[in-house]
Amino acid sequence: MTNRRDFLRKAGLAAAAVGPVTLAAPYVKAQDKVIKWRLQTYAGPALAEHVIKPAIDAFNKAANGAMVIELYTSDQLVPTGELFRAMRAGTIDAVQSDDDSMASPVDIKVFGGYFPFASRYSLDVPTLFHQYGLNEIWAEAYGEVENVQWLSAGSWDPCNFATNKPLNSLADLKGLRIFTFPTAGQFLTRFGVVPVTLPWEDVQVAMQTGELDGLAWSGITEDYTVGWADVTKYFLTNNISGAWCGSFFANKERWDEVPEHLQTLFRLCMDSSHYYRQYWYWGGEAQLRAEGTKLKLTTIPDAEWATVEEEALKFWDEIATTSPRCAKVVEILKKYRSTMEKAGPPYRYS
């Protein structure tokens, strides 16, 4: 029998006879090519620091080098009105914007941005998308557009007027040149407002030169954050919508190239962005109304402002006639409105 010592001795002699043995290096999987995206937001630099940058920074960190998203702000690569076409063509890989201001070629684009009185609070938007069927409608609409992937919708701040003239009645709106969103502007013309379209970064100068009389673009948080509170004097507490509705979109070819685990990571970061804005705006609107020193608050009496909301419902019915899908969205908005009113406070106050 061969004992262990003899075995080791003979094995050593055999190894010496054939010469030294070179051990193979351990197998290392080659690093996949880093995926790089360029994403442009509708927001200018100061606002982007809040509405998207934290989420993109988190994604880049968690992706651990496998994917990197470069963030660009309003009009930095392409004008906001050309965002959709640029994304579809692959000039940029992804977009954060509302459907309305970037001229999405879908019938439901009018509901992006500020559709008059579609929401009262910021939580209305995610509830409408996740529980009332708007997710499916948006996916259907953008599924008809070649090379575009709609990803996720979320809410931003309300739409209030910031002006250099105090607004105490509806009559005060007549003739005002106001920077606002396309559909919101279309609605506000019913009250004598003159909508003005400008590049986002030109708005502050336009207020100083008198080209604009005011803004109906945001709530008070943005007015302070981006410097508009420095060039306006008054803030109207009445709003025409309780929350802006915006989405993330991607070029579909580029989206399909992203591995599933990174797609999941990006979806989680979008949710993180939606969550951040919920409390940033909610707290900011209250704090700056109560403690802000730059803007004087004015209010149009509730009874008079109710006529604006009544006019909005007529506007809804007009939009419903433009397509069966728009009619379906309006039907959902009416059902949601009815449910909230029946629920009573804190959902709706009479």
Side-chain angles (χ1 to χ4, degrees):
M1 294 182 65
T2 304
N3 61 35
R4 181 172 179 275
R5 182 175 295 174
D6 287 341
F7 175 80
L8 293 174
R9 179 178 59 80
K10 292 176 181 178
L13 292 173
V18 299
V21 177
T22 302
L23 297 176
Y27 173 75
V28 179
K29 184 178 183 295
Q31 175 82 22
D32 292 332
K33 183 179 179 181
V34 176
I35 300 170
K36 291 187 177 180
W37 271 15
R38 299 197 301 175
L39 186 157
Q40 184 169 314
T41 176
Y42 76 98
L47 185 59
E49 286 288 329
H50 293 279
V51 300
I52 189 170
K53 190 174 183 297
I56 298 304
D57 287 347
F59 176 87
N60 287 337
K61 184 175 181 179
N64 199 30
M67 182 170 173
V68 176
I69 298 177
E70 297 174 350
L71 178 61
Y72 295 87
T73 56
S74 178
D75 302 314
Q76 197 170 357
L77 295 179
V78 297
T80 297
E82 297 176 16
L83 272 178
F84 195 93
R85 284 180 292 173
M87 171 190 59
R88 188 178 179 187
T91 305
I92 52 179
D93 305 299
V95 165
Q96 181 203 44
S97 178
D98 69 281
D99 323 59
D100 198 27
S101 61
M102 71 173 186
S104 295
V106 292
D107 49 0
I108 57 168
K109 73 175 182 179
V110 295
F111 301 105
Y114 291 117
F115 189 66
F117 294 95
S119 60
R120 186 69 59 89
Y121 307 115
S122 59
L123 277 174
D124 290 341
V125 173
T127 304
L128 282 162
F129 273 85
H130 292 289
Q131 296 186 1
Y132 280 74
L134 294 195
N135 268 338
E136 291 74 19
I137 293 175
W138 259 243
E140 175 190 86
Y142 285 103
E144 297 170 1
V145 182
E146 184 180 1
N147 208 26
V148 170
Q149 180 70 52
W150 173 78
L151 294 171
S152 179
S155 61
W156 275 251
D157 52 337
C159 183
N160 298 75
F161 284 87
T163 60
N164 278 330
K165 169 188 173 182
L167 304 179
N168 297 300
S169 70
L170 290 181
D172 293 332
L173 294 175
K174 292 180 180 179
L176 293 184
R177 294 162 298 175
I178 299 294
F179 175 66
T180 189
F181 291 83
T183 300
Q186 180 186 348
F187 172 68
L188 289 172
T189 58
R190 298 178 180 222
F191 305 97
V193 168
V194 180
V196 177
T197 301
L198 288 172
W200 191 91
E201 68 272 16
D202 293 343
V203 170
Q204 191 159 347
V205 172
M207 282 298 305
Q208 293 171 307
T209 60
E211 184 180 355
L212 286 175
D213 298 308
L215 323 159
W217 182 269
S218 68
I220 199 169
T221 307
E222 285 194 21
D223 291 335
Y224 274 78
T225 301
V226 305
W228 292 342
D230 298 323
V231 293
T232 53
K233 298 177 182 177
Y234 300 95
F235 179 86
L236 181 65
T237 60
N238 313 77
N239 65 58
I240 65 164
S241 182
W244 188 77
C245 176
S247 292
F248 287 86
F249 303 81
N251 176 283
K252 192 171 190 313
E253 290 181 1
R254 297 309 311 275
W255 176 253
D256 290 343
E257 293 170 359
V258 177
E260 186 177 3
H261 71 286
L262 290 177
Q263 288 184 354
T264 300
L265 176 62
F266 189 66
R267 290 188 184 279
L268 289 171
C269 288
M270 287 188 291
D271 285 344
S272 172
S273 176
H274 297 328
Y275 171 66
Y276 180 100
R277 291 191 310 274
Q278 283 283 344
Y279 66 79
W280 184 63
Y281 279 121
W282 183 257
E285 297 300 300
Q287 188 266 327
L288 288 170
R289 283 192 186 200
E291 302 174 9
T293 59
K294 295 181 180 180
L295 295 174
K296 183 177 180 179
L297 305 185
T298 65
T299 301
I300 294 175
D302 289 344
E304 191 175 0
W305 195 253
T307 64
V308 182
E309 190 162 0
E310 291 167 8
E311 194 66 28
L313 296 179
K314 298 176 186 177
F315 185 72
W316 288 14
D317 289 336
E318 293 172 13
I319 295 298
T321 66
T322 60
S323 78
R325 192 155 48 206
C326 285
K328 189 174 181 180
V329 174
V330 169
E331 182 183 356
I332 288 172
L333 293 178
K334 287 183 176 180
K335 181 181 186 326
Y336 183 75
R337 175 188 173 93
S338 175
T339 300
M340 295 296 107
E341 288 177 345
K342 289 176 182 177
Y347 299 97
R348 293 294 185 269
Y349 293 86
S350 58

